[in-house]
């Protein structure tokens, strides 16, 4: 086995161990929090439809704050209102790094993440 391959396997084992510890401590993975955030955006899109707004598009951006002590989640949603007026709804929330797994913090601190927000699926 090559040395690089062995290092990679060793790092993966260490990362898995840290993830297990973080999970036991109740810390969230990035996917877990994005699922929670997705439920919020779905409910906001559905409530906006009740107000007569048509959903066009949306984005979620995740980045580290300047001090590196929190993850910032920004959501921007774009709608078409009555009379074809554009309507934007946005929200931002900062959560301390200690609420997330080390893997999640490391990933966001390495590079901000941006996701498009799909409309809720009809049930």
């Amino acid at each position: 086995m090559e040395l690089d391959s062995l290092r990679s396997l060793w790092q993966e084992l260490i990362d898995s161990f840290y993830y297990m510890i973080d999970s036991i401590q109740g810390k969230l993975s990035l996917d877990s929090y994005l699922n929670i955030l997705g439920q919020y955006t779905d409910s906001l899109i559905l409530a906006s439809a009740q107000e007569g707004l048509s959903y066009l598009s949306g984005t979620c951006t995740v980045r580290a704050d300047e001090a590196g002590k929190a993850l910032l989640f920004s959501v921007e949603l774009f709608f078409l209102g009555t009379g074809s007026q554009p309507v934007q709804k946005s929200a931002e929330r900062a959560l301390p790094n200690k609420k997330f797994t080390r893997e999640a913090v490391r990933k966001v601190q390495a590079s901000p993440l941006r996701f498009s927000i799909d409309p809720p699926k009809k049930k």
Side-chain angles (χ1 to χ4, degrees):
M1 196 179 263
E2 290 183 28
L3 188 58
D4 287 340
S5 179
L6 191 57
R7 282 187 187 137
S8 178
L9 284 172
W10 183 248
Q11 187 60 50
E12 198 170 314
L13 178 64
I14 291 171
D15 289 345
S16 295
F17 181 71
Y18 280 137
Y19 184 81
M20 180 186 70
I21 291 171
D22 288 345
S23 295
I24 289 170
Q25 293 174 343
K27 295 183 179 186
L28 294 168
S29 69
L30 195 55
D31 284 342
S32 295
Y33 191 72
L34 289 173
N35 281 334
I36 293 167
L37 192 58
Q39 292 172 10
Y40 164 75
T41 59
D42 284 354
S43 66
L44 187 59
I45 292 168
L46 292 172
S48 296
Q50 296 293 326
E51 298 170 11
L53 300 177
S54 298
Y55 180 69
L56 298 174
S57 67
T59 58
C60 174
T61 304
V62 186
R63 67 185 196 287
D65 72 344
E66 290 181 18
K69 297 187 185 231
L71 300 185
L72 302 173
F73 293 82
S74 302
V75 172
E76 290 185 311
L77 301 174
F78 301 94
F79 299 88
L80 195 58
T82 56
S84 298
Q85 289 283 51
V87 176
Q88 178 182 353
K89 294 186 179 190
S90 58
E92 183 170 271
R93 185 170 188 194
L95 295 169
N97 289 348
K98 65 184 178 183
K99 289 194 171 273
F100 295 94
T101 62
R102 291 165 230 219
E103 176 188 22
V105 172
R106 192 169 44 240
K107 186 174 185 177
V108 173
Q109 287 178 338
S111 176
L113 305 172
R114 189 176 177 102
F115 306 94
S116 54
I117 299 173
D118 296 326
K121 292 184 174 45
K122 296 182 181 181
K123 296 179 182 181

